[in-house]
């Protein structure tokens, strides 16, 4: 072991310089003290002395200088036992670190007595230090995130990492609580293996699993690919993080409660409360009574349902027993089994820790074998904050507010649970199609009747249809509503369930996926579709996203109009002007010239007037140029004066020069059958200032008119859809559509424009 080698060398050095055997000792803290030293780890040493040793500073120099000369990264200190106790009482990190103090060479008895004194002081002041310790856990989670769900986790500082294991030991050392002992040592050792491989691969003391190092780390550990590596890290961090949660919960229970006035009589609470089916509730935990066997059928489901419904947690011992002994469920499930599962799923946010405990115990994959392939599977999409399985459970929790608003809340919960079950290797892009038959198989396994099985399968197959149509298609085009009606099988109740699933999925992904802008688009399209299914013609309501008042004003005198509005998350510019070829690109260029970054936009043409709504990244009106000034510049552009676009043109020229050869090729493709009257093209590429100007210019040069456009930016990626017509409003030919794809690809990729001849 590395720790043994280093320790042996330190012992030799201490003997070589004549280090005293009494009254002085070389001691280790940190990873060396715990015998967990990595290939590039720092060495943390304390030269401990009783205050009587002569020339202690000279002795220290004889130790430190050879270590520095060897290139070892060294953290060192010279202290007496009293000084150790003093700094431990003042600094939390020092207090926690010194609990691992261990003798390397010299007076071992001095080190032992010092460590005993430190432990006594830690325990004696534990109630005072405990809030500080718990706060530090929250602060690290806020600063470094959760290693179980990050693509580049900090193995040391993130939740579920090495620092959490140190904190578990520190919490247990208070004697106020104990830590789980089963099931966390092996995951911790695996994280240490990942750390060691990372040190060797990177050649430096790196604790963050960077994407550029992951492939080689996986290879060194004998794993198939980086996804397998991330999965192992996720599962290990989950177990450690879950152990921290349980230990912290127990620790909080011992913190002093608010004092109750002496004349208020306190009722003595019973040790536990009996619950049905052989379960008990004890100190906020669900446990088994003495007569109940963990192998009792459906007991695990019942324990999970009770915990989720009452906001409790599973006792660690109970979860472990269920994992060891709870049987699978024979297919098809009984009505009782299915109802108990649904009762657990309906627990909202309380479901999350309960599902986690059952999953880590091994119950979930025993009940639902198809859960295993998505378990801890990473999502290579920065919009998502969780792994596939955790995201799916979060979607179930987010669906709770909708359960009273849909006809079949049970099927909504199952659709949420299975909506991403098709996110298998190499199938993420088509996971609704892949996942639909898997969801069907599981619905059949759970004993649903054929009609309900069909509905769950349909919801999973089309769980992206509403958001895709609402945010990337022209609401006014008849084909958009037709596609949505087809997706919901022409049934209003299915539409309501799809609407709830869409929101739950987006909220579970993260804030960027359910912005006010996206919510508005989804709600407008869904409302119109629901009205159509009810026999009402609500197509006019689709104009609710277009400011018709500004359009009428422009028609009166031909002058551009701009309205500035504050919306949740930022500002909105509604710009109306007489439609003409190149208006979109020039308006986008004008905004880019003033360093106004567009987050999302929707462009429409109403009776010869373009009414374009731009959501921008500015938060205050003062951050934008004066509206009157922008109107003047629009008028100059309309008159043919394009000098106002010089800043964005210079920026595009610099971007062209500095483009990296490794830049990812954009995705640009035709969307067949999206419209009968226009060519519809979707562009996906990395966002950059001036991108919309470049895209619009490429189309204007081809004499193609943008009838409508739907612009969004998510996690640094631009997702833009253009409805293109000829200048006279007719639909372009297939050849012209292919040409549009070519020029948009060139513009998105910052490549030299292809031949400018018009097809």
């Amino acid at each position: 072991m590395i720790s043994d080698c280093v320790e042996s060398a330190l012992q030799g050095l201490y003997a070589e310089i004549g280090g005293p055997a009494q009254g002085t000792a070389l001691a280790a803290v940190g990873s060396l003290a715990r015998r967990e030293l990595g290939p590039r780890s720092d060495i943390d040493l304390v030269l401990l002395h009783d205050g009587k040793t002569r020339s202690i500073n000279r002795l220290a120099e004889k130790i430190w200088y050879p270590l520095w000369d060897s290139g070892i990264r060294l953290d060192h200190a010279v202290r007496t036992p009293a000084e150790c106790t003093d700094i431990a009482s003042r600094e939390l990190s020092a207090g926690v670190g010194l609990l691992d103090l261990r003798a390397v060479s010299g007076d071992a008895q001095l080190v032992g007595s010092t460590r005993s004194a430190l432990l006594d002081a830690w325990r004696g002041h534990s109630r005072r230090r405990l809030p500080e310790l718990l706060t530090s856990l929250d602060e690290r989670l806020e600063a470094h995130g959760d290693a179980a769900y990050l693509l580049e986790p900090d193995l040391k500082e993130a939740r579920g990492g090495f620092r959490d294991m140190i904190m578990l030991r520190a919490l247990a050392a208070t004697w106020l609580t104990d830590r789980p002992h089963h099931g966390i040592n092996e995951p911790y050792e695996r994280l240490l293996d990942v750390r060691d491989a990372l040190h060797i691969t990177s050649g430096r003391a790196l604790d963050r699993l960077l994407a550029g190092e992951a492939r080689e780390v996986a290879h060194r550990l004998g794993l198939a690919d980086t996804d397998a590596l991330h999965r192992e890290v996720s599962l290990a961090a989950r177990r450690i993080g879950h152990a921290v949660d349980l230990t912290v919960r127990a620790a909080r229970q011992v913190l002093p409660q608010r004092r109750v006035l002496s004349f208020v009589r306190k009722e003595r609470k019973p040790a536990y409360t009996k619950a049905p089916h052989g379960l008990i509730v004890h100190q906020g935990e669900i446990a088994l009574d003495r007569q109940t066997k963990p192998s009792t059928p459906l007991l695990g489901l019942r324990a999970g349902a009770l915990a989720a419904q009452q906001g409790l947690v599973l006792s660690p011992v109970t979860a472990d027993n269920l994992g060891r002994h709870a049987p699978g469920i024979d297919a098809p499930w009984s009505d009782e089994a299915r109802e108990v599962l649904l009762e657990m799923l309906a627990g909202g946010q309380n479901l999350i820790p309960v599902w986690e405990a059952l999953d880590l115990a091994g119950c979930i994959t025993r009940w639902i074998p198809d859960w295993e392939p998505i378990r801890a599977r990473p999502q290579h999409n920065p919009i998502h904050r969780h792994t596939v399985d955790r995201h799916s459970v979060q979607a179930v929790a987010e669906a709770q507010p909708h359960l009273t608003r849909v006809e079949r809340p049970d099927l909504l919960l199952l659709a949420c649970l299975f909506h991403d079950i098709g996110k298998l290797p190499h199938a993420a892009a088509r996971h609704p199609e892949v996942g639909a038959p898997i969801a069907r198989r599981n619905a059949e396994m759970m004993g649903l009747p054929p009609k309900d099985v069909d509905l769950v399968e349909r919801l999973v197959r089309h769980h992206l249809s509403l958001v895709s149509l609402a945010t990337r298609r022209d609401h006014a085009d008849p084909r958009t509503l037709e596609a949505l009606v087809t997706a919901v099988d022409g049934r209003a109740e299915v539409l309501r369930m799809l609407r709830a699933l869409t929101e739950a999925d987006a909220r579970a992904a993260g804030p960027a996926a359910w912005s006010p802008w996206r919510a508005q688009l989804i709600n407008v399209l869904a409302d119109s579709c629901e009205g159509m299914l009810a026999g009402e013609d609500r197509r006019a309501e689709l104009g609710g996203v277009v400011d018709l008042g500004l359009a009428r004003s422009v028609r009166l005198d031909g002058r551009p109009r701009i309205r500035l509005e504050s919306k949740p998350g930022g500002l909105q510019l509604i710009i109306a002007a007489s439609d003409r070829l190149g208006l979109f690109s020039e308006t986008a260029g004008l905004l880019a010239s003033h360093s106004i970054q567009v987050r999302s936009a929707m462009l429409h043409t109403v009776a010869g007037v373009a009414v374009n709504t731009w959501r921008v990244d500015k938060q205050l009106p003062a951050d934008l140029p004066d509206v009157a000034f922008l109107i003047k510049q629009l008028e100059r552009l309309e008159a043919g004066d394009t000098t106002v676009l010089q800043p964005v043109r210079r920026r595009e020229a610099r971007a062209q020069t500095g483009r990296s050869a490794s830049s990812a090729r954009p995705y640009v493709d035709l969307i067949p059958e999206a419209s009968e009257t226009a060519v519809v093209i979707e562009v996906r590429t990395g966002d950059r200032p001036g991108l919309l100007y470049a895209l619009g210019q490429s189309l204007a040069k081809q004499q193609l008119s943008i009838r409508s456009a739907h612009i969004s930016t998510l996690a640094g990626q631009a997702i833009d859809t253009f409805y293109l017509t000829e200048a006279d409003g007719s639909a372009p030919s297939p050849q012209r559509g292919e040409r549009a794809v070519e020029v948009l690809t060139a513009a998105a990729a910052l490549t030299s424009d292809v031949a400018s001849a018009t097809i």
Side-chain angles (χ1 to χ4, degrees):
M1 291 177 60
I2 297 176
S3 297
D4 292 337
C5 293
V6 171
E7 191 167 336
S8 177
L10 290 172
Q11 290 168 349
L13 174 62
Y14 191 81
E16 181 182 335
I17 64 173
Q22 300 294 325
T24 305
L26 184 62
V29 292
S31 56
L32 178 58
R34 298 187 298 273
R35 299 186 185 278
E36 298 168 354
L37 208 62
R40 295 282 179 170
S41 295
D42 296 353
I43 297 177
D44 299 324
L45 298 174
V46 176
L47 184 59
L48 192 66
H49 65 101
D50 58 8
K52 302 175 184 178
T53 305
R54 295 181 179 181
S55 305
I56 189 66
N57 289 332
R58 180 176 296 180
L59 179 64
E61 290 175 356
K62 290 181 179 180
I63 297 174
W64 308 149
Y65 276 104
L67 296 176
W68 285 331
D69 291 343
S70 68
I72 290 175
R73 293 166 58 93
L74 179 66
D75 190 0
H76 59 89
V78 180
R79 293 195 181 106
T80 64
E83 290 170 339
C84 288
T85 303
D86 177 62
I87 193 170
S89 67
R90 290 185 287 106
E91 297 180 13
L92 178 65
S93 60
V96 171
L98 284 168
L99 295 177
D100 292 324
L101 188 72
R102 186 174 63 81
V104 173
S105 194
D107 192 341
Q109 186 175 355
L110 176 65
V111 177
S113 61
T114 302
R115 186 169 184 270
S116 295
L118 288 165
L119 283 167
D120 289 342
W122 180 256
R123 291 162 186 152
H125 298 93
S126 58
R127 290 183 181 272
R128 177 177 62 83
R129 302 301 295 268
L130 194 54
E132 187 180 1
L133 192 65
L134 300 182
T135 298
S136 72
L137 288 170
D138 294 336
E139 290 174 347
R140 275 196 301 107
L141 176 59
E142 180 68 24
H144 300 283
D146 194 326
Y149 308 119
L150 296 171
L151 287 176
E152 291 189 332
D154 188 317
L155 301 176
K156 183 177 182 179
E157 300 292 346
R159 180 180 185 270
F162 305 139
R163 192 75 73 185
D164 270 6
M165 281 294 289
I166 296 171
M167 288 299 187
L168 278 175
R169 298 189 188 103
L171 284 166
T174 64
W175 287 1
L176 298 175
T177 182
D178 196 9
R179 68 177 179 88
H181 294 277
H182 176 73
I184 60 172
N185 290 330
E186 184 178 343
Y188 182 56
E189 292 290 336
R190 192 53 170 162
L191 286 185
L192 289 173
D193 290 343
V194 174
R195 189 264 330 253
D196 291 351
L198 180 59
H199 282 192
I200 295 171
T201 297
S202 65
R204 51 198 171 113
L206 187 64
D207 291 317
R208 188 178 179 190
L209 183 57
L210 298 175
E213 308 289 349
R215 185 182 298 276
E216 181 61 26
V217 170
H219 176 71
R220 286 185 178 275
L221 294 174
L223 298 173
D225 52 29
T226 57
D227 275 8
L229 172 64
H230 285 299
R231 189 171 189 266
E232 291 217 0
V233 170
S234 176
L235 289 173
R238 282 189 189 187
R239 291 192 178 277
I240 295 171
H242 183 63
V244 170
D245 288 344
L246 293 173
T247 306
V248 165
R249 183 181 174 280
R252 292 189 191 280
Q253 291 179 339
V254 304
L255 289 175
Q257 303 297 314
R258 289 186 175 183
R259 293 184 178 180
V260 181
L261 295 177
S262 59
F263 58 80
V264 178
R265 184 177 180 180
K266 299 180 182 178
E267 294 185 6
R268 186 175 182 180
K269 295 184 178 180
Y272 64 87
T273 303
K274 287 189 174 182
H277 308 295
L279 301 172
I280 61 173
V281 179
H282 176 63
Q283 293 185 342
E285 295 181 345
I286 301 295
L288 309 183
D289 66 23
R290 294 180 180 179
Q291 288 75 38
T292 304
K293 296 181 179 180
S295 57
T296 303
L298 305 189
L299 185 62
L301 280 175
R302 290 189 177 112
L306 181 61
Q309 286 298 315
Q310 297 193 14
L312 307 174
V313 298
L314 294 176
S315 157
V317 175
T318 297
D320 181 52
N321 282 332
L322 290 171
R324 291 172 181 268
H325 305 292
I329 305 173
D330 293 334
W333 289 21
S334 65
D335 291 346
E336 182 183 11
R338 188 172 61 254
E339 286 303 319
V340 177
L341 172 67
L342 291 167
E343 186 179 346
M344 179 170 66
L345 296 181
Q349 298 299 328
N350 294 335
L351 168 69
I352 305 298
V354 175
W355 188 278
E356 182 84 338
L358 290 169
D359 183 42
L360 292 176
C363 293
I364 300 300
T365 53
R366 196 174 306 154
W367 298 331
I368 309 173
D370 281 324
W371 195 257
E372 179 63 33
I374 65 166
R375 188 168 178 253
R377 180 162 296 285
Q379 304 226 56
H380 300 282
N381 185 331
I383 296 174
H384 281 278
R385 54 184 172 176
H386 296 306
T387 51
V388 177
D389 59 332
R390 175 67 167 79
H391 165 75
S392 300
V393 178
Q394 186 69 44
V396 175
E398 297 290 350
Q400 189 194 40
H402 300 278
L403 298 183
T404 58
R405 306 172 193 168
V406 296
E407 285 80 356
R408 292 298 302 272
D410 55 337
L411 302 187
L412 173 61
L413 290 172
L414 292 177
C416 287
L417 185 66
F418 296 130
H419 78 280
D420 272 355
I421 204 162
K423 279 191 174 177
L424 305 176
H426 314 298
R430 53 189 183 90
H431 70 274
E433 173 190 345
V434 173
I438 302 175
R440 181 180 190 86
R441 181 167 69 234
N442 282 272
E444 290 172 339
M445 177 191 72
M446 292 177 176
L448 289 174
K451 188 175 180 181
D452 293 349
V453 171
D454 292 342
L455 183 48
V456 171
E457 180 183 19
R458 176 173 291 275
L459 288 171
V460 172
R461 187 180 300 278
H462 291 286
H463 75 269
L464 295 180
S465 294
L466 176 55
V467 67
S468 178
L469 292 168
T471 60
R472 303 178 201 165
R473 300 292 182 270
D474 187 350
H475 292 194
D477 194 300
R479 284 288 183 88
T480 302
L481 270 179
E482 290 172 8
L484 183 55
V485 169
T486 301
V488 300
D489 196 29
R491 297 156 59 190
E493 67 272 20
V494 180
L495 174 62
R496 286 189 283 273
M497 293 176 67
L498 179 60
R499 192 172 185 172
L501 172 57
T502 300
E503 181 174 344
D505 183 17
R507 289 188 183 278
W514 190 253
S515 64
W517 173 257
R518 290 167 69 84
Q520 178 194 9
L521 296 176
I522 289 168
N523 289 333
V524 167
L525 183 62
D527 285 345
S528 179
C529 185
E530 188 165 3
M532 176 184 291
L533 295 175
E536 304 169 10
D537 188 357
R538 295 188 183 177
R539 284 175 295 179
E541 293 182 7
L542 295 174
V545 294
V546 181
D547 195 315
L548 299 179
L550 282 185
R552 285 191 292 268
S553 298
V554 171
R555 282 199 297 270
L556 288 175
D557 57 14
R559 296 187 58 196
R561 301 288 196 282
I562 297 179
R563 177 175 295 155
L564 177 62
E565 297 177 346
S566 293
K567 294 289 183 180
L571 297 176
Q572 176 174 285
L573 285 169
I574 303 176
I575 302 177
S578 298
D579 191 31
R580 57 185 171 81
L581 199 64
L583 175 63
F584 165 77
S585 64
E586 291 180 355
T587 305
L590 175 62
L591 297 177
S593 294
H594 289 288
S595 299
I596 301 171
Q597 189 167 354
V598 177
R599 295 299 181 190
S600 55
M602 188 164 54
L603 288 67
H604 290 284
T605 304
V606 181
V609 176
V611 183
N612 304 334
T613 303
W614 308 78
R615 291 285 182 102
V616 300
D617 63 350
K618 306 298 184 183
Q619 298 297 315
L620 299 172
D623 297 333
L624 293 170
D626 183 71
V627 167
F629 175 69
L630 289 177
I631 291 174
K632 287 291 186 184
Q633 291 194 309
L634 284 172
E635 291 175 338
R636 288 172 58 187
L637 287 169
E638 193 170 2
D641 181 1
T642 61
T643 56
V644 298
L645 301 179
Q646 287 301 322
V648 71
R649 288 172 174 168
R650 287 193 294 267
R651 188 179 297 134
E652 280 292 287
R654 288 194 299 269
Q656 173 75 46
T657 303
R659 179 180 179 269
S660 170
S662 62
S663 298
R665 182 174 176 82
Y667 168 87
V668 183
D669 202 5
L670 289 163
I671 304 175
E673 301 181 1
S675 175
E676 289 184 347
T677 57
V679 164
V680 183
I681 299 177
E682 183 172 278
V683 178
R684 295 177 180 233
T685 188
D687 193 29
R688 69 174 192 269
L691 172 64
L692 293 177
Y693 169 73
L695 297 177
Q697 278 288 96
S698 70
L699 294 172
K701 289 178 180 178
Q702 300 301 313
Q703 299 295 303
L704 287 169
S705 178
I706 301 174
R707 189 182 75 188
S708 68
H710 309 269
I711 311 300
S712 61
T713 305
L714 293 172
Q717 297 296 304
I719 306 173
D720 306 333
T721 306
F722 298 95
Y723 281 68
L724 307 178
T725 67
E726 298 291 359
D728 61 2
S730 62
S733 66
Q735 293 83 1
R736 291 275 282 162
E738 292 293 342
R739 177 60 178 172
V741 169
E742 292 177 7
V743 298
L744 285 170
T745 301
L750 281 176
T751 57
S752 300
D753 196 5
V754 291
S756 59
T758 302
I759 296 176

